[in-house]
């Protein structure tokens, strides 16, 4: 049986980090480098990046979780039938133990599976079919104020450059 698992590159060596029977995919680092956030089954989970400890389920019925650059919010995707929306939830002072409060809707458009937060935390780029074809849009974050379409059709994998001055699609 094929299962995807997470690895951490250390000294040119790979090491397995997850051992649960679920397919663990789409890993991302926390801003402090101490944790890995990933999709585990139908939830967003986190675990220490050093491989110690156990996984913590951060949000259920969600996928593709990332922590904002300031480490204060968890951003994730939830499905609504055939579509998805992007949500955010504040992270408590205890760090990646569990979000506090009720998740807030950021983008409700027909979001596909890909989105990325800019390195300065001011924008979110996301893929959508809201125009009838796969496209990438950018909006302000955390409040979706304004929206700009990236002028590349059939783009679905937006990722910001490390400086935040370019968007790769």
């Amino acid at each position: 049986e094929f299962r995807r698992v997470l690895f951490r590159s250390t000294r040119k060596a790979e090491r397995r980090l997850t051992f649960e029977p679920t397919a663990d995919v789409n890993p991302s680092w926390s801003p402090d480098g101490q944790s890995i956030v990933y999709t585990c089954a139908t939830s967003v989970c986190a675990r220490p990046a050093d491989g110690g400890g156990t996984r913590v389920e951060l949000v259920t019925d969600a996928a593709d979780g990332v922590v904002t650059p300031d480490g204060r919010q968890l951003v994730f995707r939830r499905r609504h039938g055939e579509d998805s929306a992007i949500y955010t939830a504040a992270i408590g002072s205890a760090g990646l133990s569990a979000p506090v409060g009720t998740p807030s809707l950021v983008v409700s458009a027909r979001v596909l599976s890909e989105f990325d937060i800019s390195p300065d935390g001011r924008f979110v780029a996301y893929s959508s079919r809201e125009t009838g074809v796969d496209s990438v849009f950018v909006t302000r974050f955390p409040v979706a104020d304004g929206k700009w379409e990236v002028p590349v059709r059939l783009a679905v994998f937006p990722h910001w450059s490390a400086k935040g001055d370019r968007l790769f699609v």
Side-chain angles (χ1 to χ4, degrees), residues 141-158:
F141 181 83
V143 177
D145 177 28
K147 178 171 67 174
W148 303 271
E149 184 176 2
V150 175
V152 177
R153 289 290 184 191
L154 305 178
V156 292
F157 300 107

Side-chain angles (χ1 to χ4, degrees), residues 36-48:
I36 300 286
V37 177
Y38 58 98
T39 301
C40 57
T42 59
S43 300
V44 174
C45 295
R47 73 173 338 118

Side-chain angles (χ1 to χ4, degrees), residues 37 44 58-59 65-67 72-76 87-91 99:
V37 177
V44 174
L58 301 175
V59 181
V66 297
V67 178
R72 293 182 181 178
Q73 297 179 68
L74 176 69
V75 185
F76 56 93
Y87 289 82
T88 184
I91 295 174

Side-chain angles (χ1 to χ4, degrees), residues 25-104:
V25 296
N26 301 330
S28 65
W29 291 94
S30 64
D32 62 7
Q34 300 299 305
S35 300
I36 300 286
V37 177
Y38 58 98
T39 301
C40 57
T42 59
S43 300
V44 174
C45 295
R47 73 173 338 118
D50 66 4
T54 59
R55 84 174 178 192
V56 176
E57 191 173 273
L58 301 175
V59 181
T60 59
D61 190 31
D64 305 322
V66 297
V67 178
T68 55
D70 64 7
R72 293 182 181 178
Q73 297 179 68
L74 176 69
V75 185
F76 56 93
R77 185 176 55 85
R78 275 201 170 135
R79 288 192 99 27
H80 300 287
E82 294 294 314
D83 297 327
S84 296
I86 298 172
Y87 289 82
T88 184
I91 295 174
S93 59
L96 288 176
S97 56
V100 295
T102 304
S104 301

